[in-house]
Amino acid sequence: MDAMSSFGGVEMNMKEMQIDFLVSSSNKCIEGVPGFAFALCKKQNWKKQKHRQGV
């Protein structure tokens, strides 16, 4: 799920919404460090990915 504009401002339950990966940044609702991005996922989903970087 692309949550660039909504993360931190809209309540999200990844399990209920069946979200495997959520990508966002510290901008917008979080008002954090510019340019910082992150992804949330279960460890088992991350390990299934074949083309990982930054591991």
Side-chain angles (χ1 to χ4, degrees):
M1 167 180 275
D2 177 343
M4 288 295 176
S5 297
S6 57
F7 190 80
V10 176
E11 187 174 328
M12 294 180 210
N13 184 316
M14 291 180 66
K15 186 174 182 178
E16 285 180 10
M17 297 173 76
Q18 299 179 352
I19 299 170
D20 291 326
F21 293 87
L22 183 142
V23 180
S24 190
S25 73
S26 63
N27 300 337
K28 308 252 178 174
C29 294
I30 297 178
E31 298 181 11
V33 179
F36 179 77
F38 55 89
L40 303 176
C41 68
K42 288 182 181 177
K43 194 176 215 178
Q44 65 190 32
N45 290 342
W46 178 252
K47 288 182 175 182
K48 291 179 188 176
Q49 302 309 304
K50 294 183 181 185
H51 302 287
R52 299 185 319 223
Q53 294 183 3
V55 179

